[in-house]
Amino acid sequence: MRSWTTRWLSRALHQNWQAVSATAENKPRTYSRLISVVSGFPKNLAQSKYKPGKMGDDAWFTANTKSADVLGVADGVGGWRSYGIDPGEFAMVLMWNCERLVKFSRFDPVKPVNLIASGFRELQANRKSILGSSTACIVVFNREDSSIYTANIGDSGFIIVRKGEIVHRSEEQQHYFNTPFQLSLPPPGHTDVLSDSPESANTTTFPVCNGDVILVATDGVFDNVPIKLLVDTLQRVEGENDQVKLQMCANSIALMARSLSFDSGKPDDITVVLATVAL
């Protein structure tokens, strides 16, 4: 188990280090920005093939423009596996679509719900049918007003920590127990599948301060790591601009979530996107 964990983490860290290093090199330090890192694990390490931006049924992306930094996660609904559908494919392509829209500046940084909607519409229009369902959470840092704009559909989510306290967080959306709100593209004939509109996402706006810590994660983290333990861990990197130290914190959270999930919790895919605000 240890060798699989080390190998997977090394690949993920290499990919993420290239992304965050490029971001740091291309932006003057005088810019307001998020400094972000990513960590995580698929639930079934030995059976999972590594794909950039994918952790089992989870998916993620980070992207930036001159006016905004964007963080996103999605969690594919595992029940589709019994129909021969890869639950992670839907989540991954949704995040890819959102990432591309950000990179081409085809989004409004104060309306992340529109980014989710546009990414979903591209899925619907895809010639190669991508079937399945997923949650989605997008967090945008808008440089113009130093505020965070968020859209969350389902039970992935985010928390913002300042001075050892949660000052802002997402609200979980559930139809009923273990059935979160979700975007869906079911196969023909599956008329009873839950399918929520992107516009049903909870949206928030929140002004951030220098040094605030932002954690965006799938429910594999929030379901397994006690909130006090999460906050205590995040507090250690408040105001931290060193990406190596941020990466170590993200790795620690991902490893805690995985360990606790197989100990007495809920085994699941784990995705951690961690950022600090540098104004």
Side-chain angles (χ1 to χ4, degrees), residues 80-118:
W80 287 109
R81 189 168 283 105
S82 62
Y83 294 91
I85 295 171
D86 176 3
E89 193 77 9
F90 182 99
M92 182 179 67
V93 177
L94 176 63
M95 293 291 97
W96 278 357
N97 291 346
C98 291
E99 180 181 10
R100 186 176 64 255
L101 290 166
V102 171
K103 288 183 175 179
F104 284 97
S105 296
R106 296 176 181 171
F107 82 111
D108 185 342
V110 303
K111 293 183 179 179
V113 66
N114 290 352
L115 179 59
I116 294 177
S118 295

Side-chain angles (χ1 to χ4, degrees), residues 11-232:
R11 290 177 180 175
L13 296 189
H14 176 68
Q15 176 204 5
N16 185 58
W17 179 252
Q18 289 179 318
V20 296
S21 295
T23 298
E25 290 172 1
N26 293 335
K27 290 184 184 176
R29 296 188 67 84
T30 53
Y31 278 17
S32 300
R33 67 198 190 283
L34 295 185
I35 302 171
S36 64
V37 296
V38 181
S39 190
F41 301 98
K43 178 172 61 177
N44 299 314
L45 271 176
Q47 299 174 9
S48 295
K49 294 182 179 180
Y50 176 77
K51 286 186 179 181
K54 189 172 183 285
M55 305 283 188
D57 297 344
D58 288 357
W60 61 270
F61 80 97
T62 65
N64 63 85
T65 67
K66 290 182 178 180
S67 62
D69 293 306
V70 187
L71 315 173
V73 299
D75 183 358
V77 176
W80 287 109
R81 189 168 283 105
S82 62
Y83 294 91
I85 295 171
D86 176 3
E89 193 77 9
F90 182 99
M92 182 179 67
V93 177
L94 176 63
M95 293 291 97
W96 278 357
N97 291 346
C98 291
E99 180 181 10
R100 186 176 64 255
L101 290 166
V102 171
K103 288 183 175 179
F104 284 97
S105 296
R106 296 176 181 171
F107 82 111
D108 185 342
V110 303
K111 293 183 179 179
V113 66
N114 290 352
L115 179 59
I116 294 177
S118 295
F120 182 58
R121 282 196 296 270
E122 288 198 5
L123 262 173
Q124 293 174 310
N126 198 321
R127 291 181 180 179
K128 177 187 175 184
S129 295
I130 305 295
L131 303 176
S133 310
S134 83
T135 65
C137 181
I138 301 287
V139 172
V140 180
F141 172 66
N142 183 31
R143 301 188 213 289
E144 292 187 7
D145 60 6
S146 297
S147 292
I148 294 292
Y149 294 81
T150 74
N152 184 58
I153 181 164
D155 58 2
S156 294
F158 67 89
I159 58 175
I160 300 177
V161 172
R162 178 187 302 161
K163 296 181 180 179
E165 301 287 342
I166 296 177
V167 292
H168 190 51
R169 68 185 303 172
S170 57
E171 292 184 13
E172 188 176 284
Q173 292 179 309
Q174 293 266 8
H175 288 286
Y176 42 86
F177 177 71
N178 207 30
T179 307
F181 279 40
Q182 56 200 263
L183 306 175
S184 299
L185 287 178
H190 286 67
T191 57
D192 58 343
V193 172
L194 287 173
S195 183
D196 300 289
S197 71
E199 291 75 18
S200 65
N202 282 331
T203 60
T204 68
T205 304
F206 186 77
V208 291
C209 297
N210 185 51
D212 284 356
V213 184
I214 303 168
L215 171 68
V216 187
T218 52
D219 67 330
V221 175
F222 295 115
D223 285 349
N224 289 299
V225 183
I227 196 67
K228 185 180 185 305
L229 183 54
L230 268 182
V231 173
D232 288 346

